Amino acid sequence: MKSRSCSTGLVIGILLIASLLPLSLHPQGYSIRVFTLIFLFAAMAQSWNIVGGLANQMSLGHAAFFGIGAYTSTLLLIGMGLSPWLGMAAAALLGGAAAALLSLPTMRLSGHYFALATLAFGEVMRVLANSWASLTGGPGGISVPFGEDSWWMLNFKSTRPHYYLTLAALTAVTGLFVAIQRSALGYRLRAVREDIHAAEVVGVDSARTKIFAATISGAMIAALGTLYAQFTFFFDPDTVFGIASVSIRVALIAILGGAGLAIGPIVGAFVIIPLEEAANFAFSSQAAGLSALVYGLLLVAIILIEPRGLVALLGLRQRWNR
């Protein structure tokens, strides 16, 4: 009980510091933008963590659901003038439905077979969005209408409101992850992860369990696609449906942070996103591809030093479990 009270106090303290931090940063500066991206990608990785961490299903197709979310809310805003909040609800429904449909034929797969199937689905969605120019704008991309500052329409000239939106999204997604982790669904997912055959022997419907988790995961990351669209005001199929820019990045953040733990994607995002930004800032002007090489070598070094992730490297795994 004392440990739980200390943990609750620590979480409240961190949220309080995070809430006050933007007051000391320029509302349109580079630093607050980086923090916003950290919160957004941490939330996206937390969504992936439900399938990839709890069920150990290596999905490489989450960009498909993310892109569906970004395009759904934006097209509803452009075509019907609907608030992005309503578009976010529609995006979550479509993203969850797409994840469920993808799961039906693929959830009995495992390992690299499942990874390849989800990767192919993400690539199909990218090609489709590039080809269907009359709807998506094609390779030229699509712009989000910009107007006066409005919370209802999620239009802001300053980055500060987006900072708070992504912080709230990260808090909500993490809370949902913890609720799932502690629920009967979480126990079934971990049972499937440890030994799927033993889990089925004791009565766990592994396919149904993984499909349900994938649906929740797809719906969450699709909703986050709406926040990304409103934050960037412009995107194209290669950005929101990108394998490297979305699918691999969110999986990398969760795995390097500590897959299966609520704190893992948060730690991963707070290390990987600034590391990537620092590599681009320091080396992008020196030689073509040098920043990507340095960034990749640093990630390889982290994996070799501690394969269990940054949470274990920093000595946080046992403390977090307690």
Side-chain angles (χ1 to χ4, degrees):
M1 183 66 69
K2 183 177 179 181
S3 176
R4 180 169 294 182
S5 299
C6 292
S7 298
T8 303
L10 178 62
V11 171
I12 293 174
I14 292 173
L15 287 175
L16 182 61
I17 294 172
S19 299
L20 296 176
L21 180 62
L23 301 179
S24 62
L25 301 175
H26 191 283
Q28 293 178 317
Y30 176 72
S31 297
I32 195 170
R33 182 177 179 83
V34 171
F35 276 111
T36 302
L37 289 174
I38 289 172
F39 295 149
L40 178 62
F41 275 96
M44 292 164 61
Q46 197 72 276
S47 302
W48 181 92
N49 204 20
I50 295 173
V51 172
L54 294 181
N56 197 30
Q57 290 289 94
M58 188 58 62
S59 171
L60 295 179
H62 267 57
F65 317 128
F66 182 72
I68 288 173
Y71 272 104
T72 298
S73 61
T74 303
L75 291 174
L76 288 175
L77 175 60
I78 294 173
M80 303 176 62
L82 287 183
S83 164
W85 293 108
L86 301 177
M88 185 185 298
L93 287 174
L94 286 178
L101 289 174
L102 175 64
S103 300
L104 290 174
T106 61
M107 274 304 175
R108 296 203 176 272
L109 301 175
S110 61
H112 54 277
Y113 295 106
F114 178 78
L116 288 175
T118 56
L119 182 70
F121 179 70
E123 185 64 10
V124 166
M125 291 302 300
R126 186 188 69 82
V127 172
L128 182 63
N130 271 313
S131 303
W132 200 352
S134 60
L135 179 68
T136 65
I142 189 171
S143 296
V144 178
F146 184 77
E148 297 297 324
D149 283 6
S150 170
W151 279 94
W152 178 241
M153 301 305 293
L154 292 183
N155 267 328
F156 309 104
K157 295 182 177 67
S158 168
T159 306
R160 188 175 291 165
H162 292 289
Y163 174 99
Y164 286 115
L165 282 169
T166 52
L167 175 61
L170 173 58
T171 304
V173 174
T174 301
L176 181 58
F177 175 86
V178 172
I180 292 173
Q181 188 180 39
R182 295 178 177 177
S183 69
L185 174 61
Y187 287 110
R188 289 196 294 268
L189 285 170
R190 288 195 292 277
V192 170
R193 178 185 66 190
E194 296 301 325
D195 192 327
I196 187 171
H197 300 294
E200 289 179 341
V201 166
V202 297
V204 175
D205 189 333
S206 60
R208 180 179 298 178
T209 298
K210 290 189 288 186
I211 290 172
F212 190 38
T215 302
I216 297 173
S217 178
M220 285 194 294
I221 200 168
L224 293 169
T226 299
L227 293 183
Y228 176 83
Q230 295 299 131
F231 175 55
T232 60
F233 286 106
F234 174 83
F235 57 90
D236 57 35
D238 292 337
T239 301
V240 294
F241 288 114
I243 295 172
S245 60
V246 179
S247 292
I248 293 178
R249 182 182 289 182
V250 296
L252 191 66
I253 289 172
I255 293 170
L256 286 187
L261 296 175
I263 196 175
I266 300 173
V267 173
F270 266 93
V271 172
I272 291 174
I273 299 299
L275 189 65
E276 185 178 13
E277 292 291 327
N280 288 333
F281 178 79
F283 301 105
S284 60
S285 61
Q286 296 186 17
L290 182 60
S291 61
L293 175 63
V294 173
Y295 172 65
L297 290 175
L298 290 173
L299 294 182
V300 170
I302 293 173
I303 295 172
L304 292 176
I305 293 171
E306 180 49 82
R308 294 177 299 171
L310 291 163
V311 171
L313 181 63
L314 299 174
L316 299 175
R317 179 176 289 269
Q318 292 182 349
R319 297 177 187 177
W320 180 262
N321 287 335
R322 288 202 297 269

